[in-house]
Amino acid sequence: MRMARTLPASRQRGYSLKDGDSFLVSDASGDIHGDEVADGLFHEGTRILSRLRLGIDGEPLTLLGAATAHDRVVFTAHLTNRPLPPIGDSVAAGKGVIHVERSRFLWQGRLHERIACSNYDRVQVSLPLTIEFGADFLDMFEVRGMQRAHRGSYPQVLAQADRVVLRYAGLDGVERRTVIAFSQAPTALDGGMARFDLELGPREHVTLYLEAGAEVGQPEATRHRRSMAQARRALHGRRRPGARLRGGGLLFDAWVERSRTDIALLASDLPTGRYPYAGIPWFSTPFGRDAIITALQMLWLDPGLARGVLAYLAERQAAEDSSFRDSAPGKIMHETRKGEMAALGEIPFGLYYGGVDTTPLFLVLAGRYFRRTGDRAFIDQLWPALQRAAGWIERSCDADPDGLLAYARGEASGLSNQGWKDSGDSVFHADGSLPEGPIALVEVQGYAWEALRTMASLARERGDMIAAAGWAARADRLRATVEARFWDEDLDFYALARDGAGRMCRVLASNPGHLLYVGLPAPERAQRVVAQLASPRFDNGWGVRTLASDQPRYNPMSYHNGSVWPHDVALCAAGMARYGARRQAARLLGEVFEAATHFDMRLPELFCGFPRSAGEPPIAYPVACTPQAWAAGSVFMLLQACLGLEIDAPAREVVITHPQLPPGVDGLRVESLDVGDTRMDLAFQRIGGRVVAARAFGSEGVRVTVRM
């Protein structure tokens, strides 16, 4: 394995921007290097800009500071010069007299950048500003490390007066290009660098603009400001829907707002509605499971997101069998990708269905969306897709000797593990050996159980009592099988999985926390699961580990075998709260909140599972996606679990059961909560040793029941 060299401080943290099918990752100076990390400007799965480095006479500038604006649209870096080289007989300018403010944003597939240079010396200086650029047009999977036997043409470069055009002819017959345009013609321009020989008098300012994208543009100040305003309005429009949370304190409110903004940033406005892309950089594309869980996290506040997810996934439901794509009629997609390798079929992920849990989760989301909104017309529109999804679950269970929902990949190019823990070593036996398929994961049986119950409930709503009875009976049989096959008295826990030979994977993993989330376990067993998840072998002080610390293959630095995933913690906490363990849920919310304070209020996809040590932060996982949709959404699921808040729109009722607030939060207000045609505010306040809740605003058209 190639060892990465130590990166300078400016490159140890990536800064990201996203708009639609485009995203950009740079270092803190705003530079793109395209070598050690997955940085660059990407569009539709292809890196269209792999190098963009700003310098003075080819030398890098010194970083003063960098930040992304609170609305996550504009990135700004403040830079200064090292000593400027003398020109002729002139005296070199001293260090720290030139200030360069570099700001950028993405809009409609284009990078817009402003470079403002200011001279704070008392004499005129000559500023040889250089911009290095390049485009390797690598597919995202090449950036991730996949090797290809053949590629298209080497990038072709055409330099003109104030712009350069980089072209790549792919093997898929598509010509991809990047046009880098400048607001003024450089002094010198070639296929890899633009040089601007600027003269700045004392206190003088010079501003340059550049744009990079597939289409030709003419960058200048007015166009830059207008495009920035449009980008900000678009993101604000994605943040606007849904209820708001306020009053938790400055830090807590900052975490909530940043999480809400990150979900809006990752969401794209598609013809079917808003859809949250999974995460930057590796997963900035529609995923099925990730989007469904993000929609479930946000459902109580913003059900419109769930509607967009359901509509998009229904349109892409599988209609045929394909071992390459792991598809079968009725199945819901796992992910979709654009780019040359997907178009050529070099990878199956152009439209891939290798997720065993996505289809039942699709039904779970549909049922919970209906309960949250009472939107019968939309469910009627979805009904054929819901029936097809249920049919796939039924056929799959009928083909299994135990009647379970199991998976086995169709071809070696697909995912070997097809639950949410989809790394190759995430499912194993107590001796550490890897099982043969078909594999039935414990939490997937829970999702399938709720999916069947959902279909029974929706069928009753539609007056089809025969179909409802059939689905309800199937759900009962599945529940009985799970309780009989997966519960292990010696473990005092549910087994992780059953392999293709009928052997149980007797491993303590976080997966049964998801079983609590859907409510399958008997109450006495659920309490024993809660106790295990709350113990130090799972809870490291920052959340619930994916694997208990005394298990084989435990590694706190691994992707799935001992790390902490915020969305996984949220599902476990919601499951605990469902069985009355609301204080434990509040404790987990407090732990994850404290972790967020060490990650600049932006929870990463995952972090390492080392035990918490006094005075030390959680340990980052080096290549975690940040932002990640279901990590950002975890605060909302955790908070709903603590508040004990459930919304039944058809019954026009809001029920609050034994509400709790996390440590350090003494009050919270939920504002503009829509239930049917009624809008209300709810207030939660800590008084003495308990938390009280009440309607703070709104009509009496919806009943609010508080169980203390």
Side-chain angles (χ1 to χ4, degrees), residues 109 411 478 561 631:
E411 297 185 16
L478 181 55
N561 291 334

Side-chain angles (χ1 to χ4, degrees), residues 640-654:
Q640 183 185 17
C642 293
L643 298 179
L645 190 153
E646 296 292 336
I647 300 168
D648 188 341
R652 301 187 65 79
E653 183 177 27
V654 174

Side-chain angles (χ1 to χ4, degrees), residues 655-679:
V655 178
I656 300 168
T657 305
H658 308 308
Q660 296 289 320
L661 289 170
V665 176
D666 293 324
L668 191 75
R669 192 176 177 102
V670 182
E671 298 179 347
S672 301
L673 184 71
D674 289 325
V675 183
D677 57 359
T678 297
R679 176 167 291 183

